Amino acid sequence: MKELVIDLEAEKTEILKRYRALLRACKPTMQKGDKSMIRKAFDMALESHKDMRRKSGEPYIYHPIAVAQIAAEEIGLGTTSIVCALLHDVVEDTSVTLDDIERDFGKKVAKIIDGLTKISGVFDTNSSLQAENFRKMLLTLADDVRVILIKLADRLHNMRTMEFMPRDKQLKLSSETIYLYAPLAHRLGLYAIKSELEDLSMKYTEHETYQFIKNKLNEKKAEREKFIRDFIEPVRKVIVAQDLHVDIFGRPKSIHSIWNKMKKKAIPFEEVYDLFAIRIILDSTPENEKADCWKAYSIVTDLYRPNPDRLRDWISSPKANGYESLHTTVMGPRGQWVEVQIRTKRMNEIAEKGFAAHWKYKESSTDSGLDLWVQKVREMLKNPDANALDFLDDFKMNLFSDEIFIFTPKGALIQLPQNATALDFAFEIHSDVGASCIGAKVNHKLVPLSYKLQNGDQVEIITSGKQTPKEDWLNIVVTAKAKAKIKSSLKEERRKIAEDGKEILERKLKSLKITYNSDNLYKLSYFFKLTSTQDLFYNVAKGVIDMKDLREYVASEKIIELKPQENKIETDQVHNLLKNIKAKDSDILLIGEDMQKIDYKLANCCNPIPGDDVFGFITVGDGIKIHRTNCPNATKLMSNYGYRVVKARWTNQQELVFLTGLRITGIDDVGLINKLTTIISHDFKVNIRSITVDSDNGIFEGSIMVYVNDTEHLDNLIKKLNAVRGITAVTRFDSVEKAS
């Protein structure tokens, strides 16, 4: 017991030390009376969380202090946000209520904390709780962006201190982070936080790859730093000679972005040349910013040859999140491409601190992409009947995608997401223009509604009073605004038709001597396999269900129970599935909290094999499906349906074989296929299910589907195949074919 007391004393000192560090971080934004406000919030948080500890055993109060520190130091937020960050968990985790917060700190703080508090209570289990919470958070964003910024600080600290959490929690949080929070940080211009969130997510979802790239980067650190010095020196000399005040440094690319490049281009680490970017930051007055940046660009491109396809001018047209910078890629002194970013101090602060810095400079900024973005979020949230998951997908697709800039006939500039069509543009102008759109002219040429717009296109919309939105338009548009408007128009149209159908059905049932009541309507809907009575009325109005069909229903005389909604997975259903253990001898996968043996299927999207890091996902009709943790669909499943995920791991049985795919590339040579099949069939005694080979101008490409025991077996096979003369690469791929 004595030791604990000593510990408590040490902890008290540590808490005080951390609190003082927080006050130092808040100093730049502090005004009169702010210090006592922060102290009051700190005292309330300390008291509320006094008996709570984190998974690591540390006092819980360390977490709110750290979140407040990130908000102050790394995002640059002011006193109100610091107070909210200190109190962000008290309503959710302690007996303190929102009324208490409002009484002590005012309405604004209470509103922000409400936005940060997770939704509790019973939910339609078909909907995703995470999606609902995210939506609630965004609703508050429409009023106060600080909710999201504090949430990002909270998530960043949780990700930084996640090593003590159970593996399934780590996977769920990492998936959610990469799916939602990292793109959101990017959208709000918080590039440093976005990169760190991506790297931390990767650390837990793809640990080996993360460690491999990290070690490789450390190995080459000294060499890289020398290269950066050699590159920078001549540039600095010329810029300083031109009387420009400048700061130049090299910045390593994040592990996640290097991994993305390796995947995208299918190249090994050694072939990723742009492992870092050179950043040139100029100290310019607002009126000289643009000219100074272009002057610096001219100096760099005089010294090093630029790649003409890689110039990105975000100064003339800033990104929607307010990001301004000039990017070019030049050929360095050792024959390798180097990315150079040129910006001013103001632009750099906006790039680092995002939204918070943008607000600080707002008066001087002429056109604010961020304000437009918040406006778009508000519009999306106005759609009252959107399912939370649909909303989430639309939100992700629209607000996190890169923009293209389109001109109206009068030269006004409109931003749309990439892959937007002429129809999206019409809805962006006005809902009525979109609804009555029959075609468009792009750069004075007539194009269909589905035409994909390119950056810089000038678009004129052609409308007709007789046009109404069509069902297939939903496949044409990509913006959430257009989708929501089309859906509500179609719903309205369908509702009117269903109204007529209701009367027709009433008359027909009367003639068949069937009572018109809700019970019979449900039975009819079930009989015709329809999900709602509105669909029933609609089909009657459209003539899809006629008198003959209704007589068939009468004749069938079946007792129809109400159909449960197929897409609802109830909690007890999940428990029953887990209890239903079949424990066959051949089962080699252990699943669930107690790792019981259970019936399962392997997912076709990623074909897991023993040795892969896997998890189980409870489906509606297919029991438990096993996915690899780096499966293309894993992030979405874990971030949206975390409650359906169960832990899974392999036992060491060797009897079963699993189908996996190998892609082989190399230089075509006589007898190459024979060599490959000999290694696979004879040396490794592995069965080949299928083999496809293509040879083009001396380059050999093949895909082989083979049956292996586990990852070790597969790795040995890949090593052996790689050793064959002429083979340049052997990689495993995710097959979507069904294992026979």
Side-chain angles (χ1 to χ4, degrees):
M1 273 309 281
K2 249 188 177 175
E3 258 184 32
L4 187 63
V5 176
I6 295 163
D7 273 353
L8 288 175
E9 283 308 311
E11 277 174 2
K12 255 185 190 168
T13 315
E14 180 62 24
I15 289 168
L16 217 57
K17 189 175 139 198
R18 292 184 186 210
Y19 172 66
R20 288 198 185 111
L22 170 65
L23 284 181
R24 283 196 297 279
C26 298
K27 226 174 186 158
T29 59
M30 245 191 231
Q31 289 168 351
K32 204 178 171 201
D34 286 356
K35 197 173 175 180
S36 61
M37 184 84 147
I38 293 171
R39 179 76 210 200
K40 197 164 142 192
F42 170 71
D43 289 341
M44 182 186 255
L46 190 60
E47 178 58 30
S48 307
H49 296 302
K50 68 172 187 278
D51 299 324
M52 293 167 70
R53 297 207 162 250
R54 301 195 82 207
K55 284 271 193 297
S56 60
E58 294 178 337
Y60 194 86
I61 189 68
Y62 285 6
H63 171 64
I65 297 174
V67 173
Q69 183 102 17
I70 293 168
E73 240 171 25
E74 298 177 49
I75 305 178
L77 293 173
T79 304
T80 307
S81 305
I82 306 307
V83 167
C84 294
L86 285 167
L87 299 171
H88 77 274
D89 275 337
V90 293
V91 174
E92 197 174 313
D93 298 341
T94 74
S95 56
V96 176
T97 65
L98 275 173
D99 293 338
D100 298 336
I101 302 272
E102 191 174 325
R103 188 187 60 242
D104 289 351
F105 299 96
K107 264 202 165 103
K108 184 51 100 184
V109 171
K111 190 152 177 51
I112 294 174
I113 287 171
D114 184 32
L116 288 163
T117 305
K118 291 193 191 83
I119 297 169
S120 56
V122 182
F123 250 94
D124 165 10
T125 38
N126 173 41
S127 167
S128 156
L129 196 56
Q130 286 94 323
E132 291 290 354
N133 282 322
F134 191 72
R135 187 173 181 166
K136 179 185 178 191
M137 198 168 70
L138 284 170
L139 275 163
T140 329
L141 161 76
D143 303 320
D144 201 318
V145 74
R146 287 173 290 195
V147 173
I148 298 273
L149 297 172
I150 297 162
K151 188 69 194 164
L152 283 169
D154 176 33
R155 178 53 60 114
L156 181 58
H157 185 248
N158 280 333
M159 292 298 289
R160 282 174 179 171
T161 54
M162 206 161 64
E163 64 268 31
F164 298 102
M165 282 192 173
R167 174 85 177 127
D168 56 328
K169 271 272 174 60
Q170 289 176 343
L171 284 173
K172 182 183 165 298
L173 280 176
S174 300
S175 301
E176 220 175 274
T177 300
I178 205 90
Y179 187 69
L180 285 175
Y181 292 98
L184 193 53
H186 174 78
R187 194 63 200 200
L188 294 172
L190 296 157
Y191 288 99
I193 287 178
K194 169 233 178 193
S195 297
E196 193 179 344
L197 285 174
E198 285 176 340
D199 279 4
L200 288 166
S201 297
M202 187 181 163
K203 183 180 170 181
Y204 293 102
T205 53
E206 303 194 46
H207 184 68
E208 282 172 18
T209 314
Y210 174 85
Q211 234 18 76
F212 167 77
I213 296 174
K214 192 179 174 184
N215 295 341
K216 283 279 191 190
L217 284 173
N218 287 338
E219 278 170 29
K220 297 271 174 79
K221 198 174 179 189
E223 189 187 316
R224 201 165 57 244
E225 282 169 358
K226 185 182 182 311
F227 178 89
I228 290 169
R229 281 197 303 274
D230 295 348
F231 184 95
I232 286 173
E233 220 29 64
V235 178
R236 191 194 303 278
K237 271 184 192 159
V238 185
I239 289 183
V240 171
Q242 296 260 8
D243 275 346
L244 290 170
H245 300 284
V246 71
D247 190 13
I248 311 179
F249 54 90
R251 180 190 59 88
K253 289 268 176 85
S254 73
I255 293 174
H256 185 265
S257 65
I258 292 169
W259 174 228
N260 263 352
K261 190 151 280 188
M262 286 165 66
K263 281 196 294 191
K264 215 179 195 170
K265 297 191 172 177
I267 53 174
F269 177 85
E270 287 68 26
E271 286 176 37
V272 180
Y273 293 122
D274 48 352
L275 294 172
F276 56 86
I278 302 289
R279 193 170 283 171
I280 297 174
I281 297 171
L282 299 153
D283 195 353
S284 295
T285 54
E287 61 275 10
N288 293 329
E289 281 192 331
K290 213 167 174 182
D292 286 352
C293 287
W294 283 108
K295 208 182 274 181
Y297 170 78
S298 170
I299 291 165
V300 172
T301 52
D302 280 347
L303 289 163
Y304 304 109
R305 186 176 292 279
N307 179 338
D309 297 334
R310 298 289 302 150
L311 173 64
R312 296 283 177 272
D313 174 11
W314 299 114
I315 292 178
S316 306
S317 304
K319 285 188 180 184
N321 57 17
Y323 180 83
E324 293 172 77
S325 193
L326 205 52
H327 291 198
T328 182
T329 304
V330 297
M331 182 60 79
R334 296 186 208 159
Q336 71 183 73
W337 292 111
V338 179
E339 189 186 321
V340 181
Q341 302 170 352
I342 302 165
R343 57 178 78 145
T344 64
K345 272 190 168 173
R346 177 190 68 82
M347 294 171 188
N348 191 54
E349 198 176 344
I350 285 176
E352 295 297 319
K353 300 260 175 80
F355 221 113
H358 161 82
W359 258 213
K360 178 175 158 186
Y361 291 109
K362 197 171 169 188
E363 282 68 45
S364 62
S365 163
T366 46
D367 177 32
S368 154
L370 269 176
D371 290 340
L372 288 171
W373 184 71
V374 174
Q375 189 55 43
K376 271 192 176 172
V377 175
R378 285 197 185 110
E379 274 182 17
M380 284 180 72
L381 292 162
K382 274 181 196 161
N383 184 18
D385 49 345
N387 165 315
L389 281 172
D390 284 352
F391 164 79
L392 206 92
D393 288 340
D394 285 352
F395 183 84
K396 224 184 118 57
M397 187 172 64
N398 274 264
L399 301 177
F400 300 157
S401 61
D402 288 334
E403 312 82 16
I404 52 174
F405 296 91
I406 308 297
F407 293 95
T408 66
K410 288 184 179 169
L413 197 62
I414 284 184
Q415 279 182 353
L416 286 169
Q418 237 169 9
N419 297 324
T421 59
L423 190 54
D424 283 305
F425 178 83
F427 275 101
E428 197 61 34
I429 302 280
H430 195 278
S431 309
D432 296 343
V433 175
S436 56
C437 174
I438 54 168
K441 279 185 180 176
V442 173
N443 306 328
H444 309 295
K445 282 187 185 152
L446 204 60
V447 296
L449 298 179
S450 57
Y451 178 84
K452 273 191 185 169
L453 300 173
Q454 304 298 314
N455 217 345
D457 279 346
Q458 189 169 24
V459 185
E460 183 189 338
I461 297 298
I462 303 159
T463 59
S464 159
K466 291 176 183 165
Q467 179 71 298
T468 55
K470 309 280 182 286
E471 190 92 36
D472 62 340
W473 282 15
L474 289 169
N475 304 323
I476 294 174
V477 295
V478 301
T479 61
K481 181 180 179 179
K483 276 201 167 130
K485 295 291 176 199
I486 294 166
K487 278 178 187 167
S488 66
S489 292
L490 291 171
K491 255 188 195 152
E492 188 49 36
E493 181 73 12
R494 200 177 172 89
R495 196 187 58 75
K496 282 178 187 166
I497 294 170
E499 283 295 314
D500 299 338
K502 193 176 177 182
E503 289 175 22
I504 298 167
L505 183 64
E506 209 170 333
R507 287 200 304 274
K508 287 186 173 174
L509 290 180
K510 206 173 183 182
S511 66
L512 288 167
K513 298 189 172 52
I514 296 172
T515 315
Y516 180 85
N517 60 21
S518 56
D519 196 27
N520 282 331
L521 289 178
Y522 278 128
K523 287 178 181 176
L524 276 163
S525 303
Y526 182 54
F527 179 77
F528 293 114
K529 295 185 171 58
L530 299 169
T531 51
S532 69
T533 49
Q534 191 185 33
D535 289 349
L536 177 70
F537 299 148
Y538 181 80
N539 283 338
V540 169
K542 284 285 188 185
V544 178
I545 296 172
D546 56 18
M547 210 55 183
K548 182 166 76 64
D549 299 316
L550 291 171
R551 286 199 184 96
E552 263 177 39
Y553 161 73
V554 176
S556 68
E557 284 182 349
K558 284 179 184 169
I559 299 160
I560 295 168
E561 290 173 7
L562 288 186
K563 181 190 181 191
Q565 266 186 294
E566 268 178 23
N567 56 359
K568 265 197 183 182
I569 245 202
E570 299 299 345
T571 326
D572 54 347
Q573 220 176 318
V574 172
H575 287 312
N576 291 342
L577 196 54
L578 283 171
K579 277 181 199 159
N580 184 15
I581 300 162
K582 300 210 175 142
K584 294 176 189 163
D585 293 338
S586 61
D587 276 348
I588 64 154
L589 191 90
L590 302 170
I591 292 186
E593 290 301 315
D594 310 325
M595 299 293 183
Q596 316 109 310
K597 286 193 174 185
I598 206 167
D599 212 18
Y600 63 87
K601 285 183 183 173
L602 299 176
N604 295 320
C605 50
C606 56
N607 278 353
I609 64 175
D612 282 333
D613 206 354
V614 289
F615 66 92
F617 183 73
I618 300 169
T619 63
V620 183
D622 258 356
I624 290 180
K625 279 257 176 101
I626 304 306
H627 292 263
R628 278 158 55 193
T629 52
N630 58 357
C631 161
N633 298 319
T635 346
K636 197 167 176 182
L637 296 177
M638 286 195 269
S639 63
N640 286 336
Y641 301 102
Y643 61 94
R644 294 202 205 168
V645 170
V646 282
K647 291 181 196 171
R649 65 177 172 81
W650 305 94
T651 60
N652 300 320
Q653 292 176 11
Q654 288 275 316
E655 294 89 66
L656 289 191
V657 286
F658 296 83
L659 185 69
T660 193
L662 291 177
R663 192 164 282 119
I664 302 174
T665 51
I667 293 146
D668 206 358
D669 195 7
V670 179
L672 186 64
I673 293 182
N674 190 25
K675 280 180 203 163
L676 295 177
T677 49
T678 304
I679 287 172
I680 296 169
S681 304
H682 294 106
D683 300 6
F684 271 81
K685 305 283 184 286
V686 169
N687 283 330
I688 300 175
R689 195 184 90 163
S690 66
I691 182 165
T692 55
V693 178
D694 190 20
S695 181
D696 182 23
N697 292 329
I699 300 296
F700 165 89
E701 276 195 1
S703 298
I704 302 180
M705 299 299 294
V706 291
Y707 288 101
V708 293
N709 297 118
D710 54 27
T711 44
E712 195 183 340
H713 192 195
L714 179 66
D715 290 342
N716 290 335
L717 175 60
I718 290 174
K719 259 188 212 151
K720 199 78 188 237
L721 292 174
N722 260 321
V724 174
R725 194 163 152 250
I727 295 297
T728 54
V730 181
T731 50
R732 175 180 175 184
F733 64 88
D734 299 327
S735 162
V736 285
E737 295 178 71
K738 279 205 164 127
S740 56

